[in-house]
Amino acid sequence: MSISASSAVFVPNHLRVLVIDDHQLVIDGLRVALTAQQVPIDLVNAFNCQAAQTLLDTDQNFDLILLDLSLPDGRGFKFLRYLTCKRIYIPVAILSASEDIEDVELSLRSGAIGFISKSSSAMEINLAIRQILNGKQYVPDFYTHRNQAPVQDSQLRLDSITPRQMEVLQLLAKGLPNKRICSELSLTEDTVKSHLKALFMHLNVHNRTECVSVATRLHLVDA
């Protein structure tokens, strides 16, 4: 969805952006594009998820995170889950070459506030960033609501999955039975069953096998 200059009303005094991308050409291009903001820009780069996590452990003073989906140490969705688990509330926009409708849908469901195509012009990138900084969702032109993810995904509630439920899900994906999950996480069996019930609801599934299958497809667990 394109936006006009008139909708970009946010004018920051200073902009600090964390870019998580392993391509130097992208970083250099962003640095040039963001000069159009006409405010001091502090662009900090992390080349992978681990470097970004290490940085955020000590410094969370960022106005925005621009996150690539394809990184050397994992998909960007995994980093979005890290932010949720750590309760780091910095706005995130995906910056990706992907034009896959499901990537846009999953990014937004996983907590991103926007999805910016790497093929966008400098003007489009700047307008998208200003819209996002105003708290408004931004999606690219190739995305339309007529081409959303399959119907079976329409009730997914990924942003409602708690850190503890994610831990249960990881162990479930490893094939552990309830009693082993109880032991690993020091939980009662009733508590584990409650977490599983919540996961089934969030992922719109009916059993453990479906839960792991959907979670794997959505990159919530490693394949």
Side-chain angles (χ1 to χ4, degrees):
M1 179 174 62
S2 300
I3 58 177
S4 64
S6 62
S7 65
V9 297
F10 181 80
V11 182
N13 295 320
H14 179 272
L15 190 60
R16 194 160 188 258
V17 180
L18 172 60
V19 181
I20 309 172
D21 195 296
D22 62 325
H23 296 94
Q24 189 60 50
L25 282 175
V26 172
I27 308 305
D28 294 342
L30 277 173
R31 199 177 301 276
V32 172
L34 290 176
T35 59
Q37 294 285 344
Q38 298 182 337
V39 295
I41 301 289
D42 184 7
L43 197 65
V44 179
N45 177 225
F47 287 99
N48 55 48
C49 294
Q50 185 57 57
Q53 290 175 18
T54 300
L55 175 63
L56 289 171
D57 282 343
T58 57
D59 183 4
Q60 297 181 13
N61 187 29
F62 292 98
D63 300 292
L64 177 68
I65 295 174
L66 295 177
L67 172 66
D68 192 7
L69 285 181
S70 300
L71 294 163
D73 56 349
R75 296 276 280 166
F77 302 120
K78 187 175 183 179
F79 187 78
L80 287 171
R81 297 199 302 275
Y82 161 81
L83 294 177
T84 299
C85 290
K86 291 293 185 179
R87 293 180 171 83
I88 297 175
Y89 302 112
I90 303 170
V92 180
I94 300 300
L95 183 66
S96 176
S98 172
E99 294 194 359
D100 188 327
I101 298 298
E102 283 200 13
D103 282 343
V104 180
E105 285 290 325
L106 183 53
S107 296
L108 299 178
R109 288 187 181 124
S110 298
I113 193 172
F115 192 106
I116 304 172
S117 173
K118 284 187 176 180
S119 64
S120 300
S121 68
M123 178 180 292
E124 289 171 332
I125 290 173
N126 276 286
L127 290 176
I129 287 175
R130 289 199 174 200
Q131 178 163 316
I132 290 164
L133 290 174
N134 273 300
K136 300 176 182 177
Q137 188 180 91
Y138 177 87
V139 292
D141 288 333
F142 69 79
Y143 174 85
T144 69
H145 290 290
R146 291 190 302 274
N147 292 313
Q148 289 185 12
V151 175
Q152 61 264 30
D153 290 348
S154 63
Q155 296 180 7
L156 297 182
R157 297 167 56 187
L158 304 185
D159 57 350
S160 299
I161 299 177
T162 67
R164 179 60 87 182
Q165 289 164 5
M166 280 300 305
E167 291 177 338
V168 171
L169 181 59
Q170 301 302 319
L171 296 177
L172 184 67
K174 292 180 179 179
L176 272 62
N178 284 5
K179 288 185 178 180
R180 281 286 306 281
I181 295 175
C182 293
S183 177
E184 291 285 336
L185 300 178
S186 299
L187 299 174
T188 67
E189 191 161 1
D190 284 342
T191 299
V192 169
K193 287 180 179 178
S194 294
H195 286 318
L196 288 174
K197 183 177 179 180
L199 285 167
F200 292 175
M201 179 187 67
H202 295 324
L203 298 179
N204 194 26
V205 298
H206 302 92
N207 57 56
R208 298 163 71 96
T209 301
E210 286 184 35
C211 185
V212 172
S213 177
V214 171
T216 300
R217 178 167 57 81
L218 297 178
H219 306 285
L220 296 176
V221 296
D222 295 330

